[in-house]
C-alpha cells in the first residue's frame, strides 16, 4: 500500500479545489487581487518543479549547461510556439537523446 | 495521450504501488497534481512537501470552479457534488463554451465530455504503469516529466506577471535546493506569486 496516504490526500484536496465555488462559495465574489494571485500560482509552482527536477540538491551549482537544460529550453520554445504538448514532448526528448549522445 | 503514459511510467518508478497509482488516476483525475506528487516522492522529497506542492499545482482549478459556479446553480444537487471531480482542464474548456444551452443539455454535454476525456486518460496511465518497468533505462524516459512541466509552464505564459512569477520561482527554488525534503520548492513558488503582485494589474489581464 505504498503511496496510499499521499494519493488519498491529493485526491480529496483536488476535488475540493474544483468544488470550492460550485458547492460552497457560489455567491461569493473575490477581489481582483486574489484572482491575480491565483492565476500566478500555476506558473510559479511549475517553474519551481522544473528547477527542483533539474538541479537536484546542488543549489545554483546545478545550473551548469547540460543536455537536459538545452532539451528543456527546446521543449519550452516549441510549447510556446505551437501550443501543442505532444510536439513539445517530442522536441524535449529528441533533443536530450541527441545532445546526450554527442555531449 | 502521452501525458497519461508518462504519468504511468513515473508511477512505475516511484515508491508507490502500481494499483494505488492507477486507482489514484481515477480518483485524482488531474495529471499535473498526480505527476507532481509522484515525481517529488521519487526525487526524495518528504511526503508533506510532495502533497502540498501537488495541491498548490491545482490552484487553477479554483479559477475554473469560480468561472463555472453560476452555470451550476440550477443543476440538481447530486450533479453539483459529482461534477467537480471531472472539472479537468479539457472539460472546463469544452463546457465553458456551451454555457448558454438548457440546464439538461448542459448536464448531458458535461457528462459526455467528462467520459470522453477520462477513459483514454486512465487507460494510458495503466499502459504506462505496465510498460514502465520494461522500458530500457538508457532511454531516460523519466526526463519526460520535467519536459512536460516545462511545456505546461510555457502554455501558461500569458503576461508579464506570469513570466516574472516563473523566473523568480525558478531562481529561488534552485538557490534553496539544498534545503531538506524539497521545502525550497514551496518557498520558491510562494516567492514567485508574491513577486508577480508587484507587476501592475493592467499588465496581467487574462489573455483573450
Amino acid at each position: 500500500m505504498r503511496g496510499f496516504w499521499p494519493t488519498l490526500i491529493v485526491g480529496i484536496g483536488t476535488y475540493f479545489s474544483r468544488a470550492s465555488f460550485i458547492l460552497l462559495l457560489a455567491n461569493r465574489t473575490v477581489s481582483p487581487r486574489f484572482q491575480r494571485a491565483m492565476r500566478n500560482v500555476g506558473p510559479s509552482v511549475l517553474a519551481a518543479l522544473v528547477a527542483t527536477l533539474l538541479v537536484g540538491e546542488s543549489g545554483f551549482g546545478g545550473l551548469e549547461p547540460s543536455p537536459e537544460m538545452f532539451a528543456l529550453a527546446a521543449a519550452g520554445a516549441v510549447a510556446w510556439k505551437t501550443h501543442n504538448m505532444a510536439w513539445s514532448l517530442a522536441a524535449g526528448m529528441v533533443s536530450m537523446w541527441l545532445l546526450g549522445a554527442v555531449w | 495521450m502521452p501525458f497519461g503514459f508518462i504519468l504511468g511510467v513515473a508511477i512505475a518508478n516511484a515508491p508507490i504501488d502500481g494499483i494505488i497509482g492507477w486507482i489514484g488516476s481515477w480518483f485524482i483525475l488531474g495529471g499535473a497534481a498526480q505527476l507532481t506528487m509522484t515525481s517529488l516522492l521519487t526525487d526524495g522529497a518528504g511526503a508533506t512537501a510532495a502533497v502540498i506542492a501537488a495541491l498548490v499545482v491545482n490552484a487553477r482549478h479554483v479559477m475554473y470552479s469560480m468561472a463555472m459556479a453560476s452555470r451550476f446553480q440550477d443543476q440538481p444537487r447530486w450533479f453539483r457534488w459529482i461534477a467537480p471531480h471531472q472539472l479537468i482542464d479539457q472539460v472546463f474548456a469544452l463546457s465553458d463554451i456551451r454555457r448558454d444551452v438548457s440546464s439538461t443539455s448542459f448536464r448531458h454535454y458535461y457528462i459526455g465530455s467528462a467520459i470522453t476525456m477520462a477513459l483514454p486518460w486512465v487507460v494510458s496511465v495503466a499502459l504506462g504503469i505496465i510498460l514502465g518497468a520494461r522500458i530500457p533505462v538508457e532511454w531516460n524516459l523519466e526526463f519526460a516529466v520535467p519536459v512536460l512541466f516545462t511545456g505546461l509552464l510555457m502554455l501558461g505564459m500569458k503576461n508579464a506577471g506570469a513570466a516574472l512569477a516563473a523566473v523568480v520561482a525558478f531562481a529561488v527554488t534552485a538557490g534553496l535546493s539544498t534545503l531538506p525534503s524539497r521545502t525550497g520548492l514551496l518557498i520558491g513558488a510562494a516567492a514567485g506569486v508574491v513577486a508577480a503582485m508587484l507587476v501592475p494589474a493592467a499588465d496581467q489581464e487574462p489573455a483573450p
Side-chain angles (χ1 to χ4, degrees), chain B residues 73-131:
Chain B
Q73 285 321 293
D74 59 355
Q75 295 292 342
R77 175 171 283 266
W78 64 268
F79 187 60
R80 276 192 287 147
W81 275 93
I82 290 173
H85 171 250
Q86 300 103 40
L87 190 57
I88 60 179
D89 298 294
Q90 297 90 333
V91 173
F92 173 74
L94 286 171
S95 50
D96 195 42
I97 54 176
R98 282 289 194 94
R99 307 174 64 98
D100 47 348
V101 297
S102 80
S103 183
T104 313
S105 353
F106 177 80
R107 186 161 68 247
H108 293 161
Y109 180 76
Y110 186 95
I111 294 171
S113 313
I115 293 173
T116 314
M117 292 299 155
L119 282 184
W121 172 251
V122 295
V123 169
S124 57
V125 174
L127 281 177
I129 295 173
I130 294 165
L131 299 177

Side-chain angles (χ1 to χ4, degrees), chain A residues 13-32 34-36 38-39, chain B residues 58-75 79-81 83-85 87 92 99:
Chain A
T14 301
Y15 174 79
F16 278 102
S17 69
R18 290 167 180 165
S20 52
F21 280 84
I22 291 174
L23 273 182
L24 309 169
L25 304 168
N27 302 312
R28 290 285 195 81
T29 51
V30 294
S31 71
F34 176 76
Q35 294 194 29
R36 202 143 59 87
M38 295 302 285
R39 267 204 297 278
Chain B
N58 278 329
R60 72 183 182 290
H61 292 131
V62 178
M63 308 298 297
Y64 296 164
S65 189
M66 213 182 305
M68 295 304 275
S70 61
R71 191 64 198 83
F72 277 92
Q73 285 321 293
D74 59 355
Q75 295 292 342
F79 187 60
R80 276 192 287 147
W81 275 93
H85 171 250
L87 190 57
F92 173 74
R99 307 174 64 98

Side-chain angles (χ1 to χ4, degrees), chain B residues 11-191:
Chain B
I11 290 170
N13 294 305
I16 296 173
D17 285 338
I19 187 69
I20 298 283
W22 191 64
I23 294 170
S25 74
W26 286 87
F27 182 54
I28 301 173
L29 210 64
Q34 195 175 3
L35 191 60
T36 298
M37 180 193 83
T38 304
S39 58
L40 285 177
L41 285 177
T42 307
D43 202 43
T48 312
V51 167
I52 293 175
L55 293 178
V56 173
V57 162
N58 278 329
R60 72 183 182 290
H61 292 131
V62 178
M63 308 298 297
Y64 296 164
S65 189
M66 213 182 305
M68 295 304 275
S70 61
R71 191 64 198 83
F72 277 92
Q73 285 321 293
D74 59 355
Q75 295 292 342
R77 175 171 283 266
W78 64 268
F79 187 60
R80 276 192 287 147
W81 275 93
I82 290 173
H85 171 250
Q86 300 103 40
L87 190 57
I88 60 179
D89 298 294
Q90 297 90 333
V91 173
F92 173 74
L94 286 171
S95 50
D96 195 42
I97 54 176
R98 282 289 194 94
R99 307 174 64 98
D100 47 348
V101 297
S102 80
S103 183
T104 313
S105 353
F106 177 80
R107 186 161 68 247
H108 293 161
Y109 180 76
Y110 186 95
I111 294 171
S113 313
I115 293 173
T116 314
M117 292 299 155
L119 282 184
W121 172 251
V122 295
V123 169
S124 57
V125 174
L127 281 177
I129 295 173
I130 294 165
L131 299 177
R134 292 171 206 184
I135 294 171
V137 184
E138 307 84 71
W139 290 13
N140 207 354
L141 208 58
E142 290 280 277
F143 185 65
V145 175
V147 170
L148 276 174
F149 285 139
T150 304
L152 289 174
L153 171 65
M154 294 313 290
L155 293 187
M157 282 297 109
K158 289 176 178 160
N159 55 49
L164 179 66
V167 170
V168 169
F170 185 93
V172 172
T173 305
L176 296 180
S177 60
T178 48
L179 291 181
S181 300
R182 300 291 185 266
T183 38
L185 179 147
L186 301 176
I187 301 171

